[in-house]
Amino acid sequence: MTADTSARYREFKMPDVGEGLTEAEILKWYVQPGDTVVDGQVVCEVETAKAAVELPIPYDGVVHALRFEEGTTVDVGASIITVDVAPGTPSEAPAPAAPATEPEAEAEAAEPKGRQPVLVGYGVSEASTKRRPRRGAAAVPEQGAAAAAIQAEMNGVPAPAALSRPLAKPPVRKLAKDLGVDLATITPTGPDGIITREDVHAATAPAPSPQAVPVAEPVPAPVAAAPAVAGRETRIPVKGVRKATAAAMVGSAFTAPHVTEFVTVDVTRTMRLVEELKSDKDMAGVRVNPLLLVAKALLVAIKRHPDVNATWDEAAQEIVLKHYVNLGIAAATPRGLLVPNIKDAHDKTLPQLAESLGELVSTAREGKTTPAAMQGGTVTITNVGVFGVDTGTPILNPGESAILAVGAIKLQPWVHKGKVKPRQVTTLALSFDHRLVDGELGSKVLADIAAILEQPKRLITWG
């Protein structure tokens, strides 16, 4: 008689981040089979479409098996690591984990009854969220005919042939429903008899006409493309943050009608103020740079023109005015573009804003920005000047109404007090959603930012 393996071995699943994501890539394992782990110990680092996050294990034990290798993209809910929570007890080894597309009834039955692990922190306890227990195969005959087929599939046993439910992932089922396709009529081509998106699309293709097809005239055979010379090209998989960024930018560019306006401004006085603030005791311990004063200028301009701080609700056909400013800062990282934001930036003093800005940028560059830090932004600043370019036409962050691009600050000839003098000059570009912001409002906001940077004392008189 053997011990209950379901009680001894725990399957830790890829947690649900709670942000609508369905998969994550395992970047690095911090443990190997045979290692002892304790509750709360970080066992791996994963990258979702929004951030890289370290995952803690929710119980004590010894690592029995790692289900996936580094670099593998895993569906949320799939078992990624098996832990022996009662090492030293003689028992049979656990059966291999089911594929990511199949339910894992035994592992779910062994899950702790307290709070459940999610990608960041822990979810609600069982007392507040109840799940109907799954029944074994013996209980199937007690249910109705249709329910029996579904329950049998969930329990991993064959359903009656006449009522077998086609295997397909939820997105594929939704696609079939939207296209009016009955999954039962489709011949699956995916692994283990799973219906794929291609199968659904193929089912919607028109059937070939039974009429005679006229013989086409001979077409010269296409000239084969010259094979690529080894070493001349490199293909990089698009995934993680870069994949999410690409999708977001395409969605934004072809959803929101962009308008971009430009202004060139003398920022000599602002640069002098930056140098003075660096030696100010109230700014000790924080980084002072031109971006800090640009951010403050944008916040003052929004205060003077609050209608620019809004979002477009397509479903409700409403403009939603935001009475707070979550200021996004575009940051280039090794994993791609991230846009974390400073929550309630409008309420922060200049030292507080400088501290938040420094923490945000350093965290992003270290690759430790959390998904929550990138949610809820209202406007964004992108500092392209650090790359030595004059300006650009920035694309709106999805859900936001405006984005300000700051160009390089250069010493240029400038008419100052009736004479041509060398002055420090930059070009600003403001892109905005023309559904929300008309030309007059966008121009006023950009003009105010430029006026503040030209005469930074307006931070006091206007702020």
Side-chain angles (χ1 to χ4, degrees):
M1 186 174 183
T2 59
D4 184 2
T5 58
S6 64
R8 173 173 175 178
Y9 293 96
R10 297 281 178 86
E11 298 286 348
F12 179 52
K13 300 178 180 180
M14 181 67 74
D16 181 359
V17 68
E19 299 289 348
L21 303 178
T22 60
E23 62 185 18
E25 178 187 353
I26 298 176
L27 294 179
K28 184 177 182 181
W29 283 110
Y30 296 126
V31 295
Q32 295 297 326
D35 290 353
T36 300
V37 294
V38 296
D39 186 358
Q41 177 180 338
V42 173
V43 295
C44 68
E45 182 182 21
V46 302
E47 183 182 40
T48 69
K50 297 183 179 179
V53 183
E54 294 179 330
L55 297 185
I57 199 80
Y59 27 73
D60 302 338
V62 174
V63 177
H64 178 75
L66 305 181
R67 299 299 185 186
F68 296 95
E69 297 180 353
E70 294 177 355
T72 304
T73 298
V74 182
D75 289 341
V76 168
S79 175
I80 60 174
I81 180 173
T82 304
V83 176
D84 184 350
V85 296
T89 303
S91 70
E92 297 178 356
T101 56
E102 295 294 332
E104 301 178 16
E106 292 179 354
E108 290 194 3
E111 287 179 354
K113 295 183 179 180
R115 297 184 300 160
Q116 301 301 304
V118 294
L119 194 54
V120 181
Y122 288 80
V124 294
S125 65
E126 185 181 22
S128 61
T129 302
K130 296 292 185 179
R131 175 183 291 178
R132 183 172 62 188
R134 295 178 177 175
R135 299 180 181 179
V140 171
E142 301 176 4
Q143 306 175 27
I150 297 174
Q151 190 68 40
E153 179 188 330
M154 294 172 64
N155 291 335
V157 299
L163 296 174
S164 179
R165 185 172 184 237
L167 297 179
K169 293 184 179 181
V172 178
R173 294 185 184 278
K174 182 178 184 301
L175 175 63
K177 181 179 179 181
D178 294 341
L179 297 178
V181 177
D182 184 359
L183 290 176
T185 64
I186 298 179
T187 301
T189 62
D192 300 322
I194 296 176
I195 297 174
T196 65
R197 287 179 174 272
E198 290 73 16
D199 295 337
V200 175
H201 286 300
T204 62
S209 174
Q211 299 176 357
V213 179
V215 179
E217 295 182 3
V219 179
V223 179
V229 179
R232 288 174 61 85
E233 294 181 355
T234 300
R235 291 182 174 270
I236 302 174
V238 179
K239 53 186 177 180
V241 173
R242 195 175 299 276
K243 181 178 180 180
T245 300
M249 292 299 97
V250 170
S252 175
F254 292 98
T255 300
H258 284 56
V259 173
T260 305
E261 295 187 340
F262 307 88
V263 64
T264 302
V265 58
D266 177 2
V267 294
T268 304
R269 292 186 179 91
T270 290
M271 297 304 292
R272 289 174 185 167
L273 180 57
V274 168
E275 295 304 317
E276 293 174 6
L277 290 174
K278 288 181 179 180
S279 59
D280 192 305
K281 63 179 182 180
D282 291 330
M283 302 297 288
V286 297
R287 184 179 180 184
V288 179
N289 55 22
L291 181 60
L292 172 63
L293 295 185
V294 171
K296 193 65 176 177
L298 175 58
L299 292 172
V300 171
I302 292 173
K303 182 179 179 181
R304 286 167 55 85
H305 307 283
D307 287 354
V308 76
N309 188 41
T311 189
W312 181 273
D313 187 336
E314 180 66 28
Q317 286 295 293
E318 294 176 339
I319 294 175
V320 182
L321 298 178
K322 305 294 181 66
H323 305 301
Y324 59 90
V325 181
N326 290 344
L327 181 61
I329 303 295
T333 74
R335 292 193 177 101
L337 176 66
L338 297 180
V339 189
N341 60 75
I342 301 172
K343 309 298 183 186
D344 294 323
H346 63 289
D347 282 338
K348 296 185 181 294
T349 63
L350 193 63
Q352 291 172 339
L353 186 62
E355 182 179 4
S356 298
L357 188 59
E359 291 175 355
L360 179 147
V361 173
S362 62
T363 301
R365 288 175 178 169
E366 291 170 4
K368 297 188 176 181
T369 301
T370 64
M374 293 185 284
Q375 298 299 308
T378 61
V379 294
T380 293
I381 296 175
T382 176
N383 185 12
V384 298
V386 296
F387 304 110
V389 300
D390 293 333
T391 192
T393 53
I395 296 177
L396 294 168
N397 207 30
E400 299 182 10
S401 59
I403 179 171
L404 177 69
V406 184
I409 299 174
K410 300 178 180 179
L411 198 63
Q412 296 182 14
W414 192 264
V415 177
H416 178 66
K417 296 181 179 180
K419 296 182 179 180
V420 177
K421 297 181 180 181
R423 304 286 287 181
Q424 291 179 301
V425 177
T426 190
T427 299
L428 307 174
L430 182 71
S431 291
F432 49 86
D433 185 342
H434 214 3
R435 297 174 300 179
L436 302 160
V437 183
D438 59 25
E440 179 185 10
L441 177 57
S443 299
K444 287 181 176 179
V445 171
L446 184 58
D448 276 6
I449 297 170
I452 293 171
L453 296 178
E454 186 175 19
Q455 294 282 355
K457 66 181 181 181
R458 292 190 172 106
L459 287 173
I460 301 174
T461 59
W462 289 358

